[in-house]
Amino acid sequence: MIAEVIVDVAAHPIDRPFDYAIPAHLQVLVEPGMRVKVPFGNRKVLGFITAIKDTTAFDPARLKPIHELMDVVPVLNEELLDMAKWMKKQTVCFEIDALQVMIPSALRAKYEKRFVLNAPIEEIAAPLQAYFGKRPFVRAQEAVEVYGLLKKELEKGTIVADTDISQQTAVKKVRMIHITDSLETLESIEIRPNAKQQLKLMDYMKENLGKSIESSQMQKDAGTTLPTIYSLVEKGAAIINNEELYRDPKLQSEIERKPSLQLTDAQQIAFDAIDGSLSTSKTFLLHGITGSGKTEIYLQTIDQVLKEGKEAIMLVPEISLTPQMTLRFKERFGDMVAVLHSGLSAGEKYDEWRKIQRGEVKVVVGARSAIFAPFRNLGLIILDEEHESSYKQDDSPRYHARDVAIWRSEYHQCPVILGSATPSLESYARAQKGVYELLVLEQRAKNQPLPEVEIVDMREELRSGNRSMFSVPLAEAIRERLERKEQIVLFLNKRGYSSFVLCRDCGTVMQCPNCDISLTYHRSTEMMKCHYCGYDEPVPHTCPECESEHIRFFGTGTQKVEEELARLVPEARVLRMDVDTTRNKGAHEKILSAFGEGKADILLGTQMIAKGLDFPNITLVGVLSADTTLHLPDFRAAEKTYQLLTQVSGRAGRDVLPGTVIVQSYTPEHYAITLAKDQLYEPFYDREMAMRRASGYPPYYFVVNIQFTHEDLMTAASYAEQTVSYLKGQLSANTLIIGPSASLIARVNNRYRYQCLIKYKKEPKLAEVMQQLIKIYRSEWIKKGATLAIDMNPTSVM
DNA sequence: AGCACGCCGACT
DNA sequence: GTCGGCGTGCTC
């Protein structure tokens, strides 16, 4: 028997199966989808078995045997193995990357170099002996200072180098003590009268007959020690056992289960349409304005799927995976739900994943990667807020969860629901063409009116002498709400709004030495930081160029707004929510719940507050500048602005109190802003589609972005140039090839970035041409230190 | 990607 | 003389 293995080496020449002999003792155990340790060249690596076969095209005499089997149960099933092959083609990634992204990071390999003793310890140099304590090895990291000595031993063969491979996080185990349920057994046990500890523990056990208690807990409760427990275990009072434990099993039973809500007529129509197609691979686009009750439709559809004995995946963007959201699912489905989000530790994610793999849960709620949940009998996939760009992974494998969802729906013959108040143009266009079935919810579920939106022309404000970031109407509205004890949300687009340091004498803005981007001022740490490469340095007191002391912090970060707000309304209690204040685990939730409890009047934040904020007392939403996303050099700028404004407006007036939204803009006449005012999606769609058609962007054209980086500007440009002329020769005449041009941020980490763009409608040879391009890159450019990244269907082209 | 093999300059 | 620089080639 021979196994095809995809090894854990992400490199072009390695990106294919390698055949290995399966040793006799493993032959009954091996299955595709299991992880194995295999010899590869002169080292050992982890790999995935993708197939098992009887013959090989390779010289059978030179086959190496699998070194070790890592799993008893495959971590990937046949569906996911097939999908990896599809992803490799679809996204131009390494198959190993596709496989790795499907399993929890805890299962990914950890390689650690070690020096292993290969002779009695007395035979090695004396200074080295101390490094090996009782262990037969030292980690290479621990022994850097005696590297020279080690090298000599390596030559003698008294020490050998080795790589230890393990998975990153293990299954958590606890020592459980199962006390016998028979009082007679306990009473028949003889304990010497002077063994006070044992007698005390015996009393404890008699009180807890038949119970299973964690040993640490028992030690605490009974005031005893582990050896004492062991002595009673030996006498037959209890059984000791190491057992698997799920990390933090959030006491499901404490969450009160809640029944379904009554659907409105509109919800019912949408529900019926989906319910009638549960065994087809149809894709539905559920277009419902904010607050129209999409979630209730999801919940009831999932309920139907569960009744049929199938499973469901519910994807949400990471930022809207709030405790409120997960609570809602747990209330409905109890312990049938696993939740996967970035706030979990690797171990916790692994545990949630195992619940799915073992069939202990039937519903998964999670961010992008939850689309790979190893369900076997999938009945429904939902992508809420389907337009969100976070559904596309921005490094390899650059997959879009929507595409994976549709692939899985075909595999399982189950429907996909794409839900959004502001669908992506791609999805809406498909719905128009009848590829997806469009379902519309036009009314808010509680029938509240849409909030009133006022657009303030900031140019007027400037003209009338108001140079602050708060327009007169916004400032007034804020004061008014404060008086009425209502709550306010102020929203600041993060992009383009980081604070920087400017010298007022020479005009210098502090730049990152490694990247073409200005450094961002971080007040909490008093550091200047580069958001691209991580470079940081202390805030200077004088200008680094002209040594002037007239330097000032410029720009409008949330911190800056906070300061100005303090001058405007000193009495207001302000909560700030941005990357700085939410860095710690759970900080996000804390801020939100504090705001919900009315501990602050104003919530000030970036994108992350645009989602899932559902508090009845919010009656004013202010958008400080709607323009920042609008003028980015990206074909999706208008779409993103429209989506953001709609999303943000939806935060106001969600309950009985009517809401007002004030949007400040320097280009208030732009259609993305005027049409978002009344949530006129269709007109926006038509306008934007016309723009896309004219400029040759999705959904009219497919786009591929190819980016080069190199230490030398001219080299990067030259490879991009060569690529453009190569592509022009290979691709069809009506395909547009744009560039090469420098990327928006032309240098990151001291590497120059050049890119070119392919826009095509039909290009049957594309995959092949990309493979050819990779071959050229591999055979020539890679050696010269270039990198190449191909992004099929990028969400943005900046 | 790693790692070994292999062929030329500055040190004990 | 040797240590070590990184070019080249291979990995079932």
Side-chain angles (χ1 to χ4, degrees), chain A residues 477-490 565 569-576 591-604 609 613 615 617-622:
Chain A
I478 292 174
R479 288 202 190 92
E480 208 175 283
R481 304 304 133 130
L482 287 175
E483 259 165 46
R484 295 213 299 254
K485 304 260 177 268
E486 291 167 6
Q487 287 181 300
I488 302 156
V489 172
L490 291 180
L565 202 53
V569 281
E571 74 279 13
R573 297 164 302 163
V574 179
L575 269 176
R576 183 164 57 90
I591 295 176
L592 279 183
S593 63
F595 190 65
E597 288 159 17
K599 287 181 183 155
D601 309 301
I602 302 177
L603 179 64
L604 165 67
I609 62 171
L613 205 58
F615 300 123
N617 204 30
I618 300 172
T619 60
L620 175 65
V621 169

Short mmCIF file of all heavy atoms in Angstrom, two decimals, chain A residues 477-490 565 569-576 591-604 609 613 615 617-622:
data_model
loop_
_atom_site.label_atom_id
_atom_site.label_comp_id
_atom_site.label_asym_id
_atom_site.label_seq_id
_atom_site.Cartn_x
_atom_site.Cartn_y
_atom_site.Cartn_z
N ALA A 477 -27.12 68.90 18.00
CA ALA A 477 -27.83 67.64 18.22
C ALA A 477 -27.24 66.87 19.39
O ALA A 477 -27.96 66.27 20.19
CB ALA A 477 -27.79 66.80 16.94
N ILE A 478 -25.90 66.92 19.49
CA ILE A 478 -25.26 66.22 20.60
C ILE A 478 -25.71 66.80 21.94
O ILE A 478 -26.11 66.06 22.85
CB ILE A 478 -23.71 66.30 20.48
CG1 ILE A 478 -23.22 65.49 19.28
CG2 ILE A 478 -23.03 65.81 21.76
CD1 ILE A 478 -21.74 65.63 18.98
N ARG A 479 -25.69 68.13 22.03
CA ARG A 479 -26.08 68.79 23.28
C ARG A 479 -27.53 68.45 23.64
O ARG A 479 -27.84 68.16 24.79
CB ARG A 479 -25.93 70.30 23.15
CG ARG A 479 -24.46 70.72 23.13
CD ARG A 479 -24.30 72.18 23.53
NE ARG A 479 -22.93 72.60 23.26
CZ ARG A 479 -22.55 73.16 22.12
NH1 ARG A 479 -23.42 73.41 21.16
NH2 ARG A 479 -21.29 73.49 21.94
N GLU A 480 -28.35 68.45 22.60
CA GLU A 480 -29.77 68.16 22.81
C GLU A 480 -29.97 66.76 23.41
O GLU A 480 -30.72 66.59 24.35
CB GLU A 480 -30.45 68.24 21.44
CG GLU A 480 -31.90 68.61 21.45
CD GLU A 480 -32.36 68.74 20.01
OE1 GLU A 480 -32.06 69.76 19.36
OE2 GLU A 480 -32.98 67.77 19.53
N ARG A 481 -29.29 65.76 22.81
CA ARG A 481 -29.45 64.39 23.32
C ARG A 481 -28.92 64.28 24.75
O ARG A 481 -29.49 63.56 25.56
CB ARG A 481 -28.69 63.36 22.48
CG ARG A 481 -29.00 63.33 21.02
CD ARG A 481 -30.46 63.13 20.74
NE ARG A 481 -30.81 64.13 19.75
CZ ARG A 481 -31.47 63.91 18.63
NH1 ARG A 481 -31.93 62.71 18.38
NH2 ARG A 481 -31.70 64.88 17.79
N LEU A 482 -27.83 64.97 25.00
CA LEU A 482 -27.27 64.89 26.35
C LEU A 482 -28.29 65.39 27.36
O LEU A 482 -28.48 64.81 28.42
CB LEU A 482 -25.98 65.72 26.44
CG LEU A 482 -24.77 65.10 25.74
CD1 LEU A 482 -23.58 66.06 25.79
CD2 LEU A 482 -24.40 63.77 26.37
N GLU A 483 -28.97 66.49 26.99
CA GLU A 483 -29.98 67.03 27.89
C GLU A 483 -31.12 66.05 28.11
O GLU A 483 -31.62 65.90 29.21
CB GLU A 483 -30.55 68.33 27.30
CG GLU A 483 -29.96 69.57 27.95
CD GLU A 483 -30.26 70.81 27.13
OE1 GLU A 483 -31.43 70.96 26.71
OE2 GLU A 483 -29.32 71.59 26.89
N ARG A 484 -31.49 65.38 27.01
CA ARG A 484 -32.62 64.45 27.11
C ARG A 484 -32.20 63.09 27.67
O ARG A 484 -32.98 62.16 27.69
CB ARG A 484 -33.24 64.23 25.72
CG ARG A 484 -33.88 65.48 25.13
CD ARG A 484 -35.06 65.13 24.27
NE ARG A 484 -34.70 64.26 23.14
CZ ARG A 484 -34.63 64.69 21.87
NH1 ARG A 484 -34.90 65.93 21.58
NH2 ARG A 484 -34.32 63.85 20.92
N LYS A 485 -30.92 62.96 28.01
CA LYS A 485 -30.37 61.70 28.55
C LYS A 485 -30.53 60.55 27.56
O LYS A 485 -30.83 59.42 27.95
CB LYS A 485 -31.06 61.34 29.89
CG LYS A 485 -30.97 62.42 30.95
CD LYS A 485 -29.86 62.11 31.95
CE LYS A 485 -29.68 63.19 32.99
NZ LYS A 485 -28.68 64.21 32.58
N GLU A 486 -30.38 60.88 26.30
CA GLU A 486 -30.38 59.82 25.29
C GLU A 486 -28.94 59.58 24.85
O GLU A 486 -28.06 60.38 25.12
CB GLU A 486 -31.28 60.22 24.11
CG GLU A 486 -32.74 60.24 24.50
CD GLU A 486 -33.63 60.93 23.47
OE1 GLU A 486 -33.13 61.30 22.40
OE2 GLU A 486 -34.81 61.10 23.77
N GLN A 487 -28.75 58.45 24.15
CA GLN A 487 -27.37 58.10 23.83
C GLN A 487 -26.98 58.43 22.39
O GLN A 487 -27.82 58.49 21.50
CB GLN A 487 -27.13 56.62 24.11
CG GLN A 487 -27.07 56.34 25.61
CD GLN A 487 -26.82 54.88 25.87
OE1 GLN A 487 -27.61 54.04 25.46
NE2 GLN A 487 -25.74 54.58 26.56
N ILE A 488 -25.68 58.64 22.22
CA ILE A 488 -25.14 59.09 20.95
C ILE A 488 -24.02 58.15 20.51
O ILE A 488 -23.22 57.70 21.33
CB ILE A 488 -24.54 60.51 21.10
CG1 ILE A 488 -25.62 61.46 21.60
CG2 ILE A 488 -23.91 61.00 19.80
CD1 ILE A 488 -25.07 62.66 22.32
N VAL A 489 -24.00 57.85 19.22
CA VAL A 489 -22.87 57.10 18.68
C VAL A 489 -22.18 57.97 17.65
O VAL A 489 -22.84 58.50 16.75
CB VAL A 489 -23.33 55.78 18.02
CG1 VAL A 489 -22.18 55.11 17.30
CG2 VAL A 489 -23.90 54.83 19.06
N LEU A 490 -20.89 58.16 17.81
CA LEU A 490 -20.13 58.94 16.83
C LEU A 490 -19.19 58.00 16.10
O LEU A 490 -18.46 57.21 16.71
CB LEU A 490 -19.33 60.05 17.51
CG LEU A 490 -20.18 61.17 18.10
CD1 LEU A 490 -19.28 62.20 18.74
CD2 LEU A 490 -21.07 61.81 17.04
N LEU A 565 -14.09 66.54 21.69
CA LEU A 565 -15.40 66.31 22.27
C LEU A 565 -15.43 66.78 23.73
O LEU A 565 -16.42 67.35 24.20
CB LEU A 565 -15.71 64.81 22.19
CG LEU A 565 -17.15 64.34 22.23
CD1 LEU A 565 -17.98 65.05 21.19
CD2 LEU A 565 -17.19 62.84 22.01
N VAL A 569 -18.32 69.26 24.84
CA VAL A 569 -19.29 68.91 25.88
C VAL A 569 -18.58 68.25 27.05
O VAL A 569 -18.56 67.03 27.16
CB VAL A 569 -20.40 67.97 25.33
CG1 VAL A 569 -21.44 68.76 24.54
CG2 VAL A 569 -19.82 66.88 24.44
N PRO A 570 -17.96 69.08 27.91
CA PRO A 570 -17.13 68.55 28.99
C PRO A 570 -17.90 67.62 29.93
O PRO A 570 -17.31 66.74 30.55
CB PRO A 570 -16.67 69.80 29.74
CG PRO A 570 -17.12 70.98 28.97
CD PRO A 570 -18.10 70.54 27.96
N GLU A 571 -19.22 67.81 30.00
CA GLU A 571 -19.99 67.02 30.96
C GLU A 571 -20.28 65.61 30.45
O GLU A 571 -20.68 64.74 31.22
CB GLU A 571 -21.30 67.77 31.30
CG GLU A 571 -22.36 67.75 30.19
CD GLU A 571 -22.14 68.80 29.08
OE1 GLU A 571 -21.03 69.37 29.03
OE2 GLU A 571 -23.06 69.02 28.29
N ALA A 572 -20.11 65.38 29.14
CA ALA A 572 -20.49 64.08 28.58
C ALA A 572 -19.53 62.99 29.00
O ALA A 572 -18.32 63.20 29.08
CB ALA A 572 -20.54 64.18 27.06
N ARG A 573 -20.10 61.82 29.24
CA ARG A 573 -19.26 60.66 29.52
C ARG A 573 -19.04 59.92 28.20
O ARG A 573 -20.00 59.48 27.56
CB ARG A 573 -19.95 59.74 30.53
CG ARG A 573 -20.16 60.40 31.90
CD ARG A 573 -21.18 59.63 32.70
NE ARG A 573 -22.45 59.54 32.00
CZ ARG A 573 -23.40 58.65 32.31
NH1 ARG A 573 -23.22 57.80 33.27
NH2 ARG A 573 -24.54 58.63 31.63
N VAL A 574 -17.78 59.81 27.80
CA VAL A 574 -17.46 59.27 26.47
C VAL A 574 -16.75 57.92 26.59
O VAL A 574 -15.82 57.77 27.38
CB VAL A 574 -16.56 60.26 25.69
CG1 VAL A 574 -16.21 59.71 24.31
CG2 VAL A 574 -17.25 61.61 25.56
N LEU A 575 -17.19 56.97 25.80
CA LEU A 575 -16.48 55.70 25.69
C LEU A 575 -15.84 55.64 24.31
O LEU A 575 -16.52 55.88 23.31
CB LEU A 575 -17.45 54.53 25.84
CG LEU A 575 -17.69 53.98 27.23
CD1 LEU A 575 -18.75 52.90 27.15
CD2 LEU A 575 -16.42 53.42 27.83
N ARG A 576 -14.58 55.30 24.27
CA ARG A 576 -13.91 55.22 22.99
C ARG A 576 -13.66 53.76 22.64
O ARG A 576 -13.22 52.98 23.48
CB ARG A 576 -12.57 55.98 23.06
CG ARG A 576 -11.82 56.04 21.76
CD ARG A 576 -10.75 57.11 21.82
NE ARG A 576 -9.83 56.90 22.92
CZ ARG A 576 -8.72 56.18 22.82
NH1 ARG A 576 -8.39 55.61 21.70
NH2 ARG A 576 -7.93 56.02 23.85
N ILE A 591 -16.86 47.23 26.76
CA ILE A 591 -17.23 48.58 26.35
C ILE A 591 -18.70 48.61 25.91
O ILE A 591 -19.47 49.47 26.32
CB ILE A 591 -16.32 49.08 25.21
CG1 ILE A 591 -14.88 49.21 25.73
CG2 ILE A 591 -16.81 50.40 24.64
CD1 ILE A 591 -13.87 49.59 24.68
N LEU A 592 -19.06 47.60 25.10
CA LEU A 592 -20.44 47.57 24.62
C LEU A 592 -21.45 47.44 25.75
O LEU A 592 -22.46 48.14 25.77
CB LEU A 592 -20.63 46.42 23.63
CG LEU A 592 -20.15 46.69 22.20
CD1 LEU A 592 -20.46 45.50 21.32
CD2 LEU A 592 -20.80 47.95 21.63
N SER A 593 -21.14 46.56 26.69
CA SER A 593 -22.14 46.36 27.74
C SER A 593 -22.20 47.58 28.66
O SER A 593 -23.27 47.95 29.14
CB SER A 593 -21.91 45.06 28.51
OG SER A 593 -20.68 45.10 29.17
N ALA A 594 -21.04 48.22 28.86
CA ALA A 594 -21.05 49.45 29.66
C ALA A 594 -21.93 50.50 29.00
O ALA A 594 -22.73 51.18 29.65
CB ALA A 594 -19.63 49.99 29.83
N PHE A 595 -21.82 50.58 27.69
CA PHE A 595 -22.63 51.55 26.96
C PHE A 595 -24.11 51.17 27.03
O PHE A 595 -24.98 52.01 27.25
CB PHE A 595 -22.17 51.65 25.50
CG PHE A 595 -22.78 52.80 24.75
CD1 PHE A 595 -22.51 54.11 25.11
CD2 PHE A 595 -23.62 52.56 23.67
CE1 PHE A 595 -23.08 55.16 24.42
CE2 PHE A 595 -24.19 53.62 22.96
CZ PHE A 595 -23.91 54.91 23.34
N GLY A 596 -24.36 49.88 26.87
CA GLY A 596 -25.73 49.39 26.93
C GLY A 596 -26.38 49.66 28.27
O GLY A 596 -27.58 49.93 28.37
N GLU A 597 -25.55 49.61 29.33
CA GLU A 597 -26.09 49.86 30.67
C GLU A 597 -26.20 51.35 30.98
O GLU A 597 -26.52 51.73 32.11
CB GLU A 597 -25.19 49.19 31.72
CG GLU A 597 -25.30 47.67 31.72
CD GLU A 597 -24.09 47.02 32.37
OE1 GLU A 597 -23.33 47.71 33.10
OE2 GLU A 597 -23.88 45.82 32.14
N GLY A 598 -25.89 52.16 30.00
CA GLY A 598 -26.05 53.59 30.19
C GLY A 598 -24.94 54.23 31.00
O GLY A 598 -25.09 55.31 31.56
N LYS A 599 -23.78 53.56 31.05
CA LYS A 599 -22.67 54.12 31.81
C LYS A 599 -21.95 55.23 31.06
O LYS A 599 -20.99 55.81 31.58
CB LYS A 599 -21.68 53.02 32.20
CG LYS A 599 -22.24 52.12 33.29
CD LYS A 599 -21.25 51.05 33.69
CE LYS A 599 -21.87 50.13 34.73
NZ LYS A 599 -21.26 48.81 34.73
N ALA A 600 -22.35 55.46 29.81
CA ALA A 600 -21.76 56.56 29.05
C ALA A 600 -22.83 57.16 28.16
O ALA A 600 -23.83 56.52 27.86
CB ALA A 600 -20.59 56.06 28.21
N ASP A 601 -22.58 58.42 27.75
CA ASP A 601 -23.54 59.10 26.90
C ASP A 601 -23.17 58.96 25.43
O ASP A 601 -24.02 58.92 24.56
CB ASP A 601 -23.57 60.60 27.24
CG ASP A 601 -23.75 60.82 28.73
OD1 ASP A 601 -24.76 60.35 29.25
OD2 ASP A 601 -22.84 61.42 29.36
N ILE A 602 -21.88 58.91 25.19
CA ILE A 602 -21.40 58.91 23.81
C ILE A 602 -20.47 57.73 23.59
O ILE A 602 -19.55 57.49 24.38
CB ILE A 602 -20.65 60.22 23.49
CG1 ILE A 602 -21.58 61.43 23.72
CG2 ILE A 602 -20.13 60.21 22.06
CD1 ILE A 602 -20.91 62.77 23.49
N LEU A 603 -20.73 57.00 22.53
CA LEU A 603 -19.81 55.94 22.12
C LEU A 603 -19.12 56.43 20.86
O LEU A 603 -19.78 56.78 19.87
CB LEU A 603 -20.55 54.63 21.85
CG LEU A 603 -19.69 53.46 21.38
CD1 LEU A 603 -18.70 53.03 22.46
CD2 LEU A 603 -20.55 52.27 20.99
N LEU A 604 -17.80 56.45 20.93
CA LEU A 604 -17.02 56.99 19.82
C LEU A 604 -16.15 55.87 19.28
O LEU A 604 -15.44 55.23 20.03
CB LEU A 604 -16.15 58.14 20.35
CG LEU A 604 -15.01 58.63 19.49
CD1 LEU A 604 -15.54 59.29 18.24
CD2 LEU A 604 -14.16 59.61 20.28
N ILE A 609 -17.79 49.67 15.47
CA ILE A 609 -19.05 49.93 16.15
C ILE A 609 -20.24 49.99 15.19
O ILE A 609 -21.37 50.12 15.60
CB ILE A 609 -19.02 51.22 16.99
CG1 ILE A 609 -18.79 52.44 16.10
CG2 ILE A 609 -18.01 51.13 18.10
CD1 ILE A 609 -18.99 53.74 16.87
N LEU A 613 -24.71 46.87 16.96
CA LEU A 613 -25.01 47.72 18.09
C LEU A 613 -26.52 47.89 18.13
O LEU A 613 -27.12 48.48 17.25
CB LEU A 613 -24.34 49.06 17.82
CG LEU A 613 -23.96 49.94 18.99
CD1 LEU A 613 -23.03 49.23 19.93
CD2 LEU A 613 -23.28 51.18 18.45
N PHE A 615 -29.05 49.09 20.79
CA PHE A 615 -29.51 49.60 22.07
C PHE A 615 -30.64 50.59 21.86
O PHE A 615 -30.56 51.46 20.99
CB PHE A 615 -28.35 50.26 22.83
CG PHE A 615 -27.23 49.32 23.12
CD1 PHE A 615 -25.94 49.60 22.68
CD2 PHE A 615 -27.44 48.14 23.82
CE1 PHE A 615 -24.89 48.73 22.94
CE2 PHE A 615 -26.40 47.26 24.08
CZ PHE A 615 -25.12 47.56 23.64
N ASN A 617 -31.76 53.13 23.45
CA ASN A 617 -31.65 54.53 23.84
C ASN A 617 -30.80 55.38 22.90
O ASN A 617 -30.58 56.55 23.13
CB ASN A 617 -31.12 54.61 25.27
CG ASN A 617 -31.50 55.91 25.95
OD1 ASN A 617 -32.54 56.49 25.63
ND2 ASN A 617 -30.65 56.38 26.85
N ILE A 618 -30.26 54.74 21.82
CA ILE A 618 -29.46 55.51 20.87
C ILE A 618 -30.40 56.27 19.94
O ILE A 618 -31.18 55.67 19.20
CB ILE A 618 -28.56 54.60 20.02
CG1 ILE A 618 -27.60 53.82 20.91
CG2 ILE A 618 -27.76 55.43 19.00
CD1 ILE A 618 -26.81 52.75 20.18
N THR A 619 -30.34 57.59 19.96
CA THR A 619 -31.22 58.36 19.09
C THR A 619 -30.45 59.25 18.14
O THR A 619 -31.03 59.90 17.30
CB THR A 619 -32.17 59.25 19.91
OG1 THR A 619 -31.39 60.14 20.69
CG2 THR A 619 -33.05 58.42 20.83
N LEU A 620 -29.13 59.27 18.29
CA LEU A 620 -28.34 60.08 17.37
C LEU A 620 -27.09 59.31 16.95
O LEU A 620 -26.36 58.78 17.78
CB LEU A 620 -27.91 61.40 18.04
CG LEU A 620 -26.98 62.29 17.21
CD1 LEU A 620 -27.65 62.80 15.96
CD2 LEU A 620 -26.44 63.44 18.04
N VAL A 621 -26.91 59.26 15.63
CA VAL A 621 -25.67 58.71 15.11
C VAL A 621 -25.02 59.80 14.30
O VAL A 621 -25.66 60.42 13.44
CB VAL A 621 -25.94 57.47 14.22
CG1 VAL A 621 -24.68 57.07 13.47
CG2 VAL A 621 -26.43 56.30 15.07
N GLY A 622 -23.76 60.07 14.59
CA GLY A 622 -23.04 61.09 13.83
C GLY A 622 -21.92 60.44 13.05
O GLY A 622 -21.15 59.65 13.59
#
